Amino acid sequence: MQTKVPLSSRAAVTVLFILVAIYFVFPLYWLVVSAFKTNAQLFQYIQPWFPPHLSIIKNLVELFSYNSGEFTRWIANSFIYAGASALGATLFATMAGYSFAKYDYPWMRTIFWIILGSIFVPVTALVLPVFVLMESLHLINTYWGVILPSLVSPFGVYLTRIYADQGVPDAILEAARIDGASEWTVFWRIASRLLAPATATVFLITFVGTWNNFFLPLVVLNSSSKFPAILGLNLWNSLNAEGHAKLMYNMVITGAVVATIPLAISFILLQRYWRFGLTSGSVTG
Amino acid sequence: MSVRTGTDSASGIAAQARQNVNIKRHLYALMFILPFLVVFIGFYVIPIIIGFHLALFVSVFGTNHFVWFQNFINVFTDPDFYRGLLTVLLFAVIQIPFMVLFALLIAFVLNTRLVKGSKIFRFLVFLPYAVPGVISALLWGYLYTPGISPIVGALRHMGLSNFTFLGPGVVLISIMNIVTWEWTGYNSIVFNSSLQAQPVELDEAATIEGATWWQVVSRIKFPLLLPTVFLVLIFSVVGSLQLFNEPFIISSLTSLPYYYTPNMYIYNEAFSFGNLNYAAALSFVLALFTFLASFLLMRYALPKRGNS
């Protein structure tokens, strides 16, 4: 398609867009460059380029070994929280979304609408009551305290439902039933395969959601050995700001890069699933 | 016996079998949603009930007294709550229109291929969304801190020696900038995917008829995009009312009041001052306002279906 736009305004738009790109990329560029600097260099060479002697290895060693490797533990915790939550949430949401799409009995519709409505309940409004619930279940400061509430993904149910409506033809399911397959087999052998793109998207969304979650672990966890990476970095940063600990800007910065890498990789590798999650969000309008 | 009764009982058995299959299907339908329902009720519905119950009490020296709706009445007359609410409303009124226009601009330019290399550009714009919100806040926090930030350094070098991103009047704008940086790319991709789903015949026809870029965008593409724009608006309003991570992180760099946003007030009330009952009431009222805001937007601002 060729729209009528004069060359001069095309050039202007291009320049504008380069500035826009710089706005979005510069902070990340600064973060990566800063991970190559020592604490002293962060303040001496504030220019956003690489310092004379690169200290990335030294920073990484310090990051992963400081305080008997607490950051290593935080990253492992993040994988545990995000992995377990995403696995459970995806399984539950896929089964439920499939059921809502393919059985569709009148009594189910009310339940579905309640679930859909809950997408609009601000999650932070739940954090405090969840804290009280976890306290009465003695799950404060445990892995379960973070994982159990993260198993609920109403958006995942919705996403799977709209995908199953189109992506899983009734005829295939009916053919399998005539061949004598049970409902259980129909789901696991046939439907689950057809649902794979939706499942991958739900997994990705719940994994990243839990990895990035701050408010819930902040409230539920109180010993730093249980912290996920995000919470740990916040702890270091506030110690830093209060001047309690030794200066560790370099470690917070290097840690921030390390804690972002798994997500960045998932975005690059799984772009098509992300786009699916995004478009299904916009289709609802 | 005649053949007739035989077929009658056979169809009776068939009906019975169909009924069995039907009951079985209902049971399977239930079984598939059951695991989700259990966690949904356990960690969504029950907390809401617990929170409401909690909000009906006050705790005096460790014993709970039932006070009906006194906590809610107190919230509605609490100036600190309104100060926080005012902050997030101010935030929403300025940041959301700016971000949405910014995202629309990017989406339209990408969609109508006004610039070359739009694939790389789309990737770069989307990149901040891949960064955890707390890390974005930490990162920008450093870029706001004199001594370590090249931006503050450059501004001071240019003669603005007293310039600060973290002063009382400026800090809200600095927080707006963090949120804009995080979400503009995401929203522009949402707009872009919605634009790609639009029929191409319309704007091809318009272009052949001699319509300019701006006419195609403003008369054809934008009206078709409106439902998506409103959806983004609603989610942004909900997000603004819940603002927590960014001001919470920034509050370690500069002093912000404990009630700076409603969620910071809730957190501090519960965990700095130990008043869970009042914090629960605050949570409820905030959820109520959020619901109200999204309901009003949906009711009155959303374009009616069929008009577009």
Side-chain angles (χ1 to χ4, degrees), chain A residues 1 23 99 107 124 129 278 281, chain B residues 26 29 47 177 186 203 231 242 263:
Chain A
M1 186 190 67
Y23 169 69
S99 187
W107 60 269
T124 53
L278 290 173
Chain B
H26 272 280
N177 172 54
Y186 173 87
D203 55 289
L231 205 73
Q242 308 304 312
N263 261 333

Side-chain angles (χ1 to χ4, degrees), chain B residues 226-294:
Chain B
L226 266 182
T228 310
V229 175
F230 277 102
L231 205 73
V232 166
L233 271 180
I234 289 169
F235 279 114
S236 305
V237 169
V238 173
S240 300
L241 288 167
Q242 308 304 312
L243 197 64
F244 178 77
N245 289 355
E246 293 82 3
F248 184 81
I249 299 290
I250 292 296
S251 70
S252 69
L253 301 173
T254 180
S255 69
L256 292 178
Y258 60 88
Y259 53 77
Y260 191 67
T261 72
N263 261 333
M264 274 180 72
Y265 191 16
I266 292 166
Y267 176 82
N268 285 319
E269 190 68 30
F271 301 105
S272 307
F273 311 136
N275 191 349
L276 282 175
N277 304 89
Y278 193 62
L282 281 168
S283 291
F284 258 85
V285 177
L286 177 62
L288 190 77
F289 273 99
T290 311
F291 249 142
L292 209 67
S294 38

Side-chain angles (χ1 to χ4, degrees), chain A residues 1-5 10 13-14 16-17 20-21 23-28 30-31 42-43 46 48 92 95-96 98-100 103 105 107-108 111 114-115 117-118 120-126 128-134 148-149 151-154 157 174 177 182-184 187 211-212 214-215 218-219 230 233-234 237 240-241 249 252-253 256 259-260 263-264 267-268 271 274-275 278-279 281-282 284-285, chain B residues 22 25-26 28-33 35-37 39-40 42-44 46-48 50-51 54 102 105-106 109 112-115 121-132 134-135 138-140 142-143 147-151 153 177 180-181 184-186 189-190 193-194 203 207 210 212-213 227-228 231 234-235 242 244-245 248-249 252 263 266-267 270-271 276 279-280 283 287 290-291 294 298 305:
Chain A
M1 186 190 67
Q2 196 58 47
T3 40
K4 288 186 176 177
V5 174
R10 261 173 197 269
V13 170
T14 305
L16 182 75
F17 265 54
V20 169
Y23 169 69
F24 286 111
V25 175
F26 176 77
L28 294 173
W30 176 82
L31 189 72
L42 280 169
F43 293 87
I46 65 165
F92 297 167
M95 281 166 57
Y98 165 77
S99 187
F100 283 120
Y103 294 98
Y105 293 120
W107 60 269
M108 296 171 78
I111 301 176
I114 294 172
I115 294 170
S118 74
F120 288 92
V121 175
V123 185
T124 53
L126 289 169
L128 187 72
V130 161
F131 168 79
V132 177
L133 175 69
M134 290 305 164
L148 286 174
L151 293 175
V152 191
S153 173
V157 175
E174 211 47 57
R177 284 183 187 125
S182 72
E183 298 295 312
W184 189 245
F187 174 71
W211 185 280
N212 290 352
F214 180 62
F215 205 3
L218 179 71
V219 164
I230 301 291
L233 288 175
N234 173 60
N237 181 55
N240 226 359
Y249 286 97
V252 177
I253 286 167
T260 309
L263 299 191
F267 274 93
I268 294 165
Q271 269 197 54
W274 276 114
R275 208 158 302 151
L278 290 173
T279 39
S282 62
T284 51
Chain B
N22 207 6
R25 286 230 185 139
H26 272 280
Y28 269 107
L30 179 66
M31 189 189 74
F32 282 127
I33 62 173
F36 178 82
L37 276 187
V39 288
F40 181 71
F43 302 104
Y44 231 92
I46 289 178
I48 291 175
I50 290 178
L54 203 65
F102 196 9
L105 175 84
I106 293 169
V109 170
T112 48
R113 307 206 176 92
L114 217 54
V115 288
F121 186 75
R122 189 163 53 190
F123 176 73
L124 294 180
V125 165
F126 193 54
L127 213 52
Y129 183 67
V131 181
V134 168
I135 290 183
L138 279 173
L139 165 56
W140 276 102
Y142 286 153
L143 289 175
I148 192 167
S149 162
I151 299 174
N177 172 54
T180 305
W181 185 79
T184 303
Y186 173 87
I189 302 286
V190 169
S193 358
S194 182
D203 55 289
T207 310
T212 61
W213 181 86
T228 310
L231 205 73
I234 289 169
F235 279 114
Q242 308 304 312
F244 178 77
N245 289 355
F248 184 81
I249 299 290
S252 69
N263 261 333
I266 292 166
Y267 176 82
F271 301 105
L276 282 175
S283 291
T290 311
F291 249 142
S294 38
M298 271 192 258
R305 262 170 199 281

Side-chain angles (χ1 to χ4, degrees), chain A residues 94 98 102 160 163-164 166-173 186-199:
Chain A
T94 307
Y98 165 77
K102 290 300 160 190
T160 313
Y163 189 84
Q166 313 248 308
V168 183
D170 288 331
I172 295 182
L173 304 181
V186 168
F187 174 71
W188 283 108
R189 287 280 172 76
I190 298 156
S192 67
R193 286 181 196 172
L194 296 170
L195 284 170
T199 310

